[in-house]
């Protein structure tokens, strides 16, 4: 028994030692694990995701925290320490919508309005880059405008986040719908073309310019739809879901535009012009040079046929071709409505401009005494009001004026006014709803125009060709300068070319 008792005592001692050792081992292991967890650094990737990601903040919050960017967790840490409720001072009231007291759970909601949306940040960055590029001359105006249009599309797409899933899931169905509507539009286009061939020949009348404009828009739209169809299976650098959502958004807009063209193609007032009215006959015109100029002409015409646009501005430097473009516009209009073309006199005054308009409108017996502008305006106003539809072109306006001072009435009729000026501010102060800016010719178009007007009997020598390129470049894409230089150098020798280049 004593032996057994001794063995039992030793066993208990061994068990106690083992238990102590195990506990120590577990404690040591736990301590190491905890230390490892504490010492494990947070990865850079996880520190820039979710609520930890720094984002742009509003000017109000930026002034409060002293930084232009911050994560949501950092901003909350900067609030006064109070576990349940914050008593706001004047600074915090600005951030928290003027509240005196704010619960802890309200903080995130109230701060959310101060974090700049991704689209707004993108737009701000895009605007900064475009303005900087324009100031340094590295970005052309056309590039700026295209960049703005792309930026607007991206921002609109970001605002459609709730619809992304719908766009992605129904992409193929919407594409088929777009194809069916486009096929219907093409059928309507074919019907219009056949109808035009029949009735133009029979009546001897011309088709309306709005019909030609509609046909051009249909061809452009059909091309755009085909491009969308080609892109449907293309995976860009974007994730496939996002890319399909983007395509779905584009297809939705294409469907709306096709529907608009189908509706406009009904032509309830007919396809042909009414009997021509006397407007003094067409003006002598020359072919417009350069694809950009032709596009600008179509842009002006699009504004003219819009029922919502009454005042249109055309701006560009001297010699850019404003008068040539207006002559084409006049000839397009003169067979469909009453159009009046007025060259604004260099010695601009209300009195002188009234006289020019009266001569164009064939209004006789205007008061001729000084200070009679008000009575002259009343006579002109009566003449304009007697017309149901008219277009007044004022070419070369050096300064703005109130249309009422001249007697131009745009109320109670379908009158429109087109103003051309070298100064963009004149168009703005004339309250033009749309302003078309004419741009200089490209290098290729400038060279083609120069060689056409030079009318050389034989190819130019290499020496003269080099000087010609320098002269063309100094003309800065201004058509009138290019034409003047070409006419001046017809039949000239190398020395005359060199002298002309050095004098420019």
């Amino acid at each position: 028994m004593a032996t057994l008792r001794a063995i039992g005592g030793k066993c208990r001692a061994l068990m106690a030692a083992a238990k102590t050792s195990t506990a120590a081992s577990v404690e040591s292991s736990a301590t190491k694990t905890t230390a490892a967890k504490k010492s494990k650094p947070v990865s850079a990737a996880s520190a820039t995701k979710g609520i930890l990601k720094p984002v742009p903040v509003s000017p109000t919050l930026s002034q409060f925290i002293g930084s232009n960017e911050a994560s949501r967790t950092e901003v909350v840490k900067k609030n006064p320490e109070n576990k349940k409720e914050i008593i706001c001072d004047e600074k915090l009231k600005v951030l928290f919508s003027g509240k005196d007291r704010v619960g802890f759970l309200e903080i995130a909601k109230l701060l959310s309005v101060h974090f700049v949306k991704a689209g707004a940040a993108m737009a701000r960055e895009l605007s900064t880059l475009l303005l900087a590029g324009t100031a340094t001359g590295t970005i052309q105006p056309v590039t700026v405008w295209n960049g703005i249009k792309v930026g607007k599309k991206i921002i609109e797409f970001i605002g459609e986040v709730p619809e992304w899933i719908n766009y992605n899931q129904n992409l193929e169905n919407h594409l088929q719908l777009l194809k069916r509507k486009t096929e219907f539009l093409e059928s309507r286009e074919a019907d219009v073309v056949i109808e035009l061939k029949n009735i133009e020949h029979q009546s001897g009348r011309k088709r309306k310019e709005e019909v030609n404009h509609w046909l051009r828009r249909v061809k452009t739209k059909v091309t755009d739809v085909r491009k969308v169809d080609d892109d449907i299976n293309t995976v860009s650098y974007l994730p496939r879901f996002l890319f399909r959502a983007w395509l779905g958004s584009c297809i939705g807009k294409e469907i709306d535009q096709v529907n608009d063209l189908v509706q406009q193609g009904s032509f309830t007032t007919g396809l042909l012009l009414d009997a021509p009215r006397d407007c003094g006959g067409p003006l002598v015109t020359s072919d417009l040079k350069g694809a950009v100029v032709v596009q600008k002409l179509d842009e002006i015409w699009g504004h003219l046929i819009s029922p919502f646009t009454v005042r249109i501005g055309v701006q560009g430097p001297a010699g850019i071709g404003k008068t040539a473009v207006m002559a084409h516009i006049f000839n397009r209009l003169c067979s469909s409505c009453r159009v009046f073309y007025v060259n604004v006199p260099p010695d601009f005054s209300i009195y002188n401009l009234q006289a020019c308009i009266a001569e164009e409108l064939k209004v006789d017996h205007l008061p001729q005494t000084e200070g009679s502008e008000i009575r002259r305006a009343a006579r002109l106003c009566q003449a304009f009001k007697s017309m149901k539809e008219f277009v007044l072109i004022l070419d070369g306006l050096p300064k703005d004026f109130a249309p009422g001072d001249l007697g131009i009435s745009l109320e109670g009729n379908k009158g429109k006014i087109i103003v051309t000026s070298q100064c963009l501010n004149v168009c703005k102060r004339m309250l033009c709803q749309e302003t078309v800016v004419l741009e200089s010719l490209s290098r290729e178009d400038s060279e083609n125009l120069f060689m056409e007007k030079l009318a050389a009997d034989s190819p130019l020598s290499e020496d003269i060709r080099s000087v010609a390129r320098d002269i063309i470049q100094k003309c800065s894409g201004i058509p009138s300068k290019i034409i003047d230089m070409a006419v001046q150098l017809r039949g000239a020798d190398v020395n005359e070319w060199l002298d002309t280049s050095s004098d420019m």
Side-chain angles (χ1 to χ4, degrees), residues 464-493:
I464 292 181
R465 199 178 307 163
S466 175
V467 181
R469 284 194 290 266
D470 182 57
I471 291 174
I472 293 170
Q473 184 177 359
K474 290 178 179 179
C475 289
S476 305
I478 305 297
S480 63
K481 291 183 179 179
I482 295 172
I483 294 172
D484 289 344
M485 289 294 102
V487 172
Q488 178 181 335
L489 291 168
R490 286 176 184 169
D493 57 25

Side-chain angles (χ1 to χ4, degrees), residues 172-235:
E172 284 75 15
N173 293 335
H174 289 168
L175 180 62
Q176 293 302 319
L177 176 62
L178 176 61
K179 287 182 178 178
R180 290 195 298 271
K181 289 184 175 293
T182 305
E183 289 172 359
F184 182 81
L185 178 63
E186 289 182 287
S187 300
R188 177 56 188 155
E189 177 194 19
D191 292 342
V192 168
V193 171
I194 293 173
E195 188 177 353
L196 283 170
K197 287 182 179 179
N198 293 333
I199 60 178
E200 277 182 327
H201 178 71
Q202 294 172 1
S203 65
R205 292 155 54 199
K206 293 183 178 181
R207 70 182 66 177
K208 293 180 178 178
E209 193 58 39
E210 64 179 293
V211 176
N212 288 331
H213 186 69
W214 180 83
L215 290 172
R216 288 193 295 269
R217 290 181 60 198
V218 169
K219 290 186 181 299
T220 302
K221 183 51 58 185
V222 170
T223 302
D224 292 344
V225 170
R226 286 173 182 163
K227 288 180 181 178
V228 172
D229 192 17
D230 293 338
D231 290 343
I232 192 66
N233 294 317
T234 303
V235 180

Side-chain angles (χ1 to χ4, degrees), residues 2-146:
T3 303
L4 291 173
R5 195 177 294 114
I7 293 172
K10 290 180 179 180
C11 286
R12 283 194 295 273
L14 287 172
M15 292 292 290
K19 184 176 181 181
T20 303
S21 174
T22 302
S25 175
V26 170
E27 183 179 358
S28 174
S29 176
T31 303
K32 290 180 180 179
T33 302
T34 304
K37 288 182 178 180
K38 289 182 179 180
S39 62
K40 185 178 180 180
V42 178
S43 68
S46 63
T48 58
K49 293 182 178 179
I51 62 174
L52 299 177
K53 180 180 178 180
V55 295
V57 296
S58 68
T60 304
L61 184 55
S62 173
Q63 184 178 5
F64 183 78
I65 64 175
S67 174
N68 292 328
E69 289 189 353
S71 68
R72 296 175 185 268
T73 54
E74 286 178 327
V75 173
V76 172
K77 287 178 185 177
K78 293 179 184 293
N79 285 320
E81 295 181 0
N82 193 318
K83 294 183 178 180
K84 293 184 179 180
E85 188 177 59
I86 296 175
I87 299 175
C88 301
D89 59 8
E90 293 304 319
K91 280 188 175 182
L92 287 176
K93 284 182 181 179
V94 175
L95 289 178
F96 294 150
S97 304
K99 290 191 174 185
D100 294 326
R101 296 173 181 270
V102 177
F104 182 76
L105 297 178
E106 295 181 81
I107 294 175
K109 180 179 179 181
L110 292 172
L111 286 175
S112 64
V113 299
H114 295 286
F115 290 91
V116 179
K117 301 288 186 184
M122 184 191 308
R124 184 171 60 190
E125 182 178 355
L126 176 65
S127 300
T128 302
L129 290 174
L130 291 174
L131 289 173
T134 305
T136 57
T138 58
I139 298 180
Q140 298 299 321
V142 175
T143 307
V144 173
W145 176 241
N146 290 338

Side-chain angles (χ1 to χ4, degrees), residues 31 320 460 462:
T31 303
I320 198 67
L460 300 179
E462 186 59 36

